[in-house]
Amino acid sequence: MTDLERMGAAAKAASRVLAMADTEAKNRALDAIAQALNRQGDRWLAANREDLEAARAQGMAPALLDRLALTPERVAGVAQGLGQVAALPDPVGVVDRTVARPNGLVIERRRTPLGVVGIIYEARPNVTVDAAALCLKSGNACILRGGREALASNRAAVELMRQAIASVGLPPDCVSLVADPSRESARQLMHLDRYLDVLIPRGGAGLIRAVAQNASVPVIRTGEGVCHVYVDSAADLDMGAAILVNAKCSRPSVCNAAECLLVHQSVAEAFLSRAVPLLDPYAVELRCDPRALALLGDRAVPAREEDWGAEYGGYTLAVRVVDSLKEAVDFVNRYGTGHSECIVTQNREAAEFFLSAVDAAAVYVNASTRFTDGGEFGLGAEIGISTQKLHARGPMGLEELTSYKYLVRGQGQTR
């Protein structure tokens, strides 16, 4: 048995104990972790400084360094987030359907934990605690595998969490860390189907696709975000410009940021004359089709075919002029990743057609795609944004980290 298999067996055993724990016990564990972070946060910060020094020496880009970095304020925010998760309703044990059959059987459907959740993610050490907290509250054990860049930070966080969990009488193996950052450890985790019930990759498109293509464990794809803003012929152009700037520029590295602008040909010139000056302070590079390029001249560069499906994660925006609402919808369904899509229009029929015809987890009318988030949707925290249809879609909160089973009560019925 390999080290990872032993970890998986321990996590499976812990998951069975955790599945029977009541809400109060799980909340005590979350509170113990929060207290540990408040008391011993300096340990986490010191480990993070090791990671930052190594990353700077290797020439990591400033934007990625910021994602890797912890500060006292960020640690306090993570600890506060644990309290918010504890305050959320516990989905485990909720009965959402009861049927009394003519033969006297009473059948109820009850929410249950998934079991053991594996999470592969990149260099964001806050995810280590956030993901573990959501798994814990939903009754799941978790096996975490973060990026090489955050290894010291992740080790420190998991040590603190395991000690805190044990202090309230739950198995410390509810949370485990794969400390080997090699590709081989990732490959082994993808095939740990004897112990893992589901694998959730969080990170860039390359990571997500690699896990989905290679894993034998069931995978929930999250975070692939090629999102569009379509400005319709009946749009309020000032509203559209404000929505576009927010969707593209408020935080361009996240998965719900807009990557492509579609604009109806009848309003293209008027809209671009409003929107581009608002994008200029952010130095947004515009990669345009020939019609948009003719309107923008030297302010833009020609788009290539690969730009239409690109997730830039920065201040770059693809721009295309379309002739109709149907062309816009067809384009979104061809190049989008099923994450978040927006139409700006004052035409109700156009809005309803877009809402019905676009195939995405979240479809917006006259609002920024940046709202696709567990907190903004009233779900509390999230484990990720699912871009698939089974078994969850969109922001994945506590309920999406559960499954269900049928409980059937009888009085001697036979068939």
Side-chain angles (χ1 to χ4, degrees), residues 69-337:
L70 293 171
T71 65
E73 293 75 20
R74 289 180 179 182
V75 172
V78 171
Q80 184 179 12
L82 288 159
Q84 293 168 353
V85 172
L88 293 172
D90 188 347
V92 177
V94 171
V95 176
D96 60 11
R97 183 183 299 172
T98 302
V99 178
R101 300 295 299 151
N103 62 4
L105 290 178
V106 177
I107 305 171
E108 67 178 32
R109 192 170 75 172
R110 181 183 295 178
R111 285 271 155 197
T112 60
L114 294 172
V116 182
V117 178
I119 305 170
I120 298 180
Y121 55 104
E122 294 173 336
R124 294 180 63 183
N126 63 295
V127 171
T128 302
V129 179
D130 294 344
L134 288 167
C135 288
L136 196 63
K137 181 64 182 266
S138 56
N140 297 291
C142 63
I143 297 178
L144 307 170
R145 187 201 178 272
R148 180 187 306 273
E149 302 85 351
L151 184 56
S153 304
N154 293 339
R155 278 176 168 160
V158 170
E159 286 173 7
L160 286 171
M161 287 192 289
R162 287 172 63 90
Q163 291 167 7
I165 291 167
S167 74
V168 298
L170 289 174
D173 291 316
C174 290
V175 179
S176 303
L177 176 72
V178 179
D180 175 4
S182 68
R183 289 186 179 181
E184 177 59 21
S185 73
R187 188 196 67 78
Q188 290 179 16
L189 190 62
M190 292 180 209
H191 295 286
L192 203 66
D193 40 20
R194 183 176 177 183
Y195 304 109
L196 281 185
D197 293 284
V198 68
L199 187 57
I200 303 175
R202 291 188 56 171
L207 169 68
I208 293 163
R209 289 170 188 161
V211 173
Q213 290 168 5
N214 293 295
S216 56
V217 177
V219 173
I220 298 177
R221 298 175 70 138
T222 69
E224 294 171 283
V226 179
C227 306
H228 299 75
V229 172
Y230 166 57
V231 178
D232 185 47
S233 59
D236 178 323
L237 300 187
D238 290 326
M239 175 194 292
I243 287 172
L244 175 65
V245 172
N246 179 262
K248 174 75 261 182
C249 301
S250 62
R251 197 177 173 196
S253 64
V254 295
C255 60
N256 58 20
E259 302 289 15
C260 183
L261 165 68
L262 303 175
V263 57
H264 193 278
Q265 57 85 20
S266 65
V267 297
E269 184 173 7
F271 177 74
L272 291 172
S273 69
R274 285 170 168 81
V276 171
L278 300 179
L279 297 171
D280 285 341
Y282 301 94
V284 176
E285 179 183 344
L286 303 176
R287 299 186 182 179
C288 298
D289 77 331
R291 287 197 286 180
L293 195 64
L295 295 171
L296 294 174
D298 293 341
R299 175 61 183 83
V301 298
R304 299 166 297 179
E305 173 61 28
E306 54 264 35
D307 285 310
W308 304 125
E311 186 174 4
Y312 299 112
Y315 292 107
T316 301
L317 180 70
V319 182
R320 188 180 186 93
V321 176
V322 297
D323 288 322
S324 67
L325 168 62
K326 185 178 185 305
E327 182 183 345
V329 168
D330 290 345
F331 187 90
V332 167
N333 286 338
R334 177 180 178 184
Y335 291 102
T337 53

Side-chain angles (χ1 to χ4, degrees), residues 354-375:
F354 192 87
L355 288 171
S356 298
V358 166
D359 185 11
V363 188
Y364 292 82
V365 176
N366 297 332
S368 171
T369 57
R370 290 280 288 109
F371 284 102
T372 307
D373 172 87

